Amino acid sequence: KDPLLSARAADLHDVGYRVLRILVGADEQPLQLPDHPVIIIADDLAPSDTAALDAKKVLGFCTVLGGPTTHTAIIARSLGLPAVVSAGKSILSLEESTPIILNGDDGTITINPDEMELKFAKEQKRKANQLRTQAQATANEPAVTLDGHRVEIAANIGGLDDARKAMASGAEAVGLLRTEFLFLERSDPPSEEEQYEVYRDIAKAMQDKPVIIRTLDVGGDKPLPYIQMDEEANPFLGERGIRLCLAKPELLRQQIRAIVRASQFGKLRIMFPMVADLSELKAARVMVSEIESELNVSGIEVGIMIEVPSAALMADILAEFVDFFSIGTNDLTQYTLAMDRMNPNLAGKSDGLHPAVLRLIQTTIQAAHQAGKWVGVCGELGADSTAIPILTGMGIDELSVTVPAVPMAKAQVRKLNYQDTRILAKQALRCATAEAVRKLKLDQ
Ligand code: PEP
Ligand code: MG
């Protein structure tokens, strides 16, 4: 019944069949493909089948089953392979060799396209490839709009390897280092020393570029075996993020000590997740100040994620106590719309461009700027090509996106006119639905 686990059923089948084939000594059957490029239509593809697809022969695939967050879809994305999933049973009735246009961007297929449709699709594909190549070539240049407004493009990373890739992709900063990778899948907490070494290496890899280290964001649905926690009926509304860390202060203290010590090797900033109330921020700040005095260090910048509606609504008060905000649109959307971000049945509705979410983003940006503080977005919305002009028009200072998305985000900002995006943002805030926001067009 768990939607996340049921979406992983294909992985389990895949591994099961692989083990069985090895046990009975059966040969692996390689996918038999014609020798010209094809689009694969299938009931479903196992993640391992997808990873083994020969990108020279396979132009893309379309499956009856699956979903956008399954491993098959994630692998397709990392291979740059267009894919349409969850297309329904009718696609299996397509005759072999039927020409189709597969559009992974908008999730559509066009069966037996006419000359005009083919020509248009080919032109779109050529332009997309050209844009990607151009974006990579200019990845190290800043993202400045045509009328001179700059937006910093940073990367979300999960470890040292990502930091190196972020540098190569032209990221101007790390807007979010998710530190959970250090704490999960182990039976004891990482020591201060172990954490210090990782943060130091990331600081060095990013050279003089700022790195925001988010303190541990677990609890609720992501329990840690070495922390005593009560069972919760609603883990997403339970003891998670900063709430959990303040309840286990030794864990947070060790992490902050490691960050403050590593800060002598680069420009490290501390960010607290899931702040819902000023008291949490104040308590966390007291801990940072105490540790700074212990270690004889000062001036480390401290910020919070804005991902709980109460924090967005109280942003004017919170702004006085931070150096920056970073808006976590993934959780902000889930909590604003009361839609579990992992529920595949709600995937189509749970949209960060919902005007309610946009209004909270706007409130946050205005409050930050009035207090002279900067604000970024580090949720997935920051890399959404429809959202980028709207967020720019709202005055966002930084977009922090997945590493491969950095060059395209920069390239998109460079084509915008800031004054036009301001008008667009105002229109978006007046829309009634997310669909209406997505239909808005920039006058260019
Ligand atoms: C967010 O909630 O938008 C965010 C960036 O944090 P995470 O995805 O790690 O919850
Ligand atoms: Mg979050």
Side-chain angles (χ1 to χ4, degrees):
K1 283 182 189 152
D2 180 305
L4 184 69
L5 287 185
S6 60
R8 298 288 174 267
D11 302 15
L12 204 64
H13 276 290
D14 186 27
V15 175
Y17 279 115
R18 230 148 243 271
V19 172
L20 282 177
R21 279 199 295 268
I22 292 166
L23 285 177
V24 300
D27 284 339
E28 294 275 323
Q29 293 284 330
L31 212 53
Q32 297 294 330
L33 293 175
D35 46 13
H36 57 84
V38 291
I39 293 172
I40 295 179
I41 308 276
D43 204 31
D44 203 359
L45 280 177
S48 59
D49 287 336
T50 312
L53 290 178
D54 179 352
K56 286 195 199 79
K57 283 193 179 165
V58 179
L59 298 169
F61 66 81
C62 175
T63 58
V64 175
L65 301 171
T69 60
T70 59
H71 275 133
T72 294
I74 292 167
I75 291 169
R77 249 180 240 126
S78 71
L79 294 173
L81 208 59
V84 172
V85 295
S86 195
K89 264 207 167 0
S90 60
I91 54 153
L92 289 184
S93 56
L94 280 181
E95 293 283 333
E96 181 106 4
S97 297
T98 309
I100 68 168
I101 296 169
L102 176 93
N103 186 337
D105 281 337
D106 61 10
T108 57
I109 56 171
T110 312
I111 298 162
N112 284 318
D114 61 27
E115 272 303 309
M116 284 294 283
E117 286 170 321
L118 260 183
K119 207 171 145 205
F120 181 70
K122 281 187 179 154
E123 184 56 15
Q124 268 191 316
K125 189 174 163 187
R126 193 188 60 76
K127 279 191 190 150
N129 285 342
Q130 197 182 20
L131 281 180
R132 222 170 286 130
T133 315
Q134 280 169 356
Q136 190 53 50
T138 53
N140 285 319
E141 287 163 30
V144 183
T145 62
L146 296 169
D147 48 349
H149 175 80
R150 184 166 179 171
V151 181
E152 183 172 79
I153 307 294
N156 292 347
I157 66 168
L160 179 59
D161 201 35
D162 281 349
R164 297 198 178 110
K165 289 188 187 138
M167 285 298 280
S169 303
E172 297 169 287
V174 167
L176 168 65
L177 165 63
R178 291 184 167 100
T179 57
E180 290 74 61
F181 75 100
L182 276 165
F183 292 81
L184 295 169
E185 285 169 42
R186 51 190 295 163
S187 52
D188 52 351
S191 67
E192 179 187 317
E193 202 55 30
E194 185 180 343
Q195 293 187 60
Y196 159 73
E197 284 169 14
V198 173
Y199 304 149
R200 176 199 63 197
D201 292 349
I202 290 174
K204 283 186 182 170
M206 291 307 294
Q207 298 165 18
D208 55 349
K209 301 197 157 118
V211 177
I212 296 180
I213 303 187
R214 179 176 76 181
T215 59
L216 184 61
D217 184 17
V218 294
D221 62 318
K222 280 182 270 174
L224 293 177
Y226 44 88
I227 294 186
Q228 175 70 38
M229 279 172 60
D230 295 335
E231 184 120 336
E232 295 178 316
N234 293 304
F236 278 113
L237 304 178
E239 228 181 5
R240 54 170 304 200
I242 191 68
R243 296 175 196 163
L244 177 71
C245 282
L246 289 172
K248 314 277 171 202
E250 249 336 283
L251 201 66
L252 185 59
R253 180 168 282 280
Q254 271 194 356
Q255 185 170 32
I256 295 175
R257 274 185 66 92
I259 300 171
V260 173
R261 281 175 58 204
S263 68
Q264 58 180 305
F265 295 95
K267 206 166 174 187
L268 299 186
R269 296 170 172 156
I270 298 176
M271 176 158 75
F272 298 111
M274 298 299 302
V275 171
D277 183 75
L278 178 61
S279 61
E280 295 161 339
L281 169 58
K282 280 188 169 170
R285 281 220 76 133
V286 166
M287 199 182 279
V288 174
S289 303
E290 284 169 4
I291 291 168
E292 279 188 323
S293 340
E294 273 164 39
L295 296 172
N296 218 0
V297 174
S298 66
I300 192 154
E301 287 182 24
V302 174
I304 59 169
M305 292 198 66
I306 300 286
E307 51 185 346
V308 180
S310 64
L313 292 167
M314 300 296 283
D316 56 340
I317 308 273
L318 295 168
E320 286 175 41
F321 299 86
V322 296
D323 296 298
F324 63 89
F325 286 145
S326 185
I327 305 173
T329 50
N330 307 336
D331 276 314
L332 188 61
T333 306
Q334 128 162 303
Y335 292 124
T336 304
L337 301 179
M339 288 184 188
D340 180 349
R341 66 192 255 192
M342 302 215 268
N343 185 333
N345 296 334
L346 300 174
K349 287 239 159 268
S350 159
D351 190 341
L353 279 182
H354 191 289
V357 182
L358 292 180
R359 288 176 186 208
L360 291 175
I361 295 176
Q362 175 74 352
T363 304
T364 306
I365 296 174
Q366 276 176 351
H369 287 175
Q370 246 152 36
K373 309 292 162 73
W374 66 269
V375 48
V377 160
C378 64
E380 296 301 307
L381 195 68
D384 181 325
S385 59
T386 311
I388 288 178
I390 297 171
L391 294 169
T392 302
M394 286 180 166
I396 203 75
D397 301 292
E398 180 191 86
L399 295 172
S400 193
V401 301
T402 54
V403 174
V406 169
M408 280 301 274
K410 281 185 154 183
Q412 194 184 347
V413 170
R414 287 189 205 113
K415 293 210 176 87
L416 299 174
N417 185 308
Y418 180 52
Q419 293 311 325
D420 292 345
T421 63
R422 284 169 56 114
I423 297 167
L424 180 77
K426 282 201 186 107
Q427 289 169 341
L429 287 162
R430 282 198 298 267
C431 281
T433 61
E435 293 78 27
V437 175
R438 288 203 175 271
K439 283 204 189 106
L440 289 176
K441 288 266 175 306
L442 204 56
D443 290 328
Q444 284 183 352

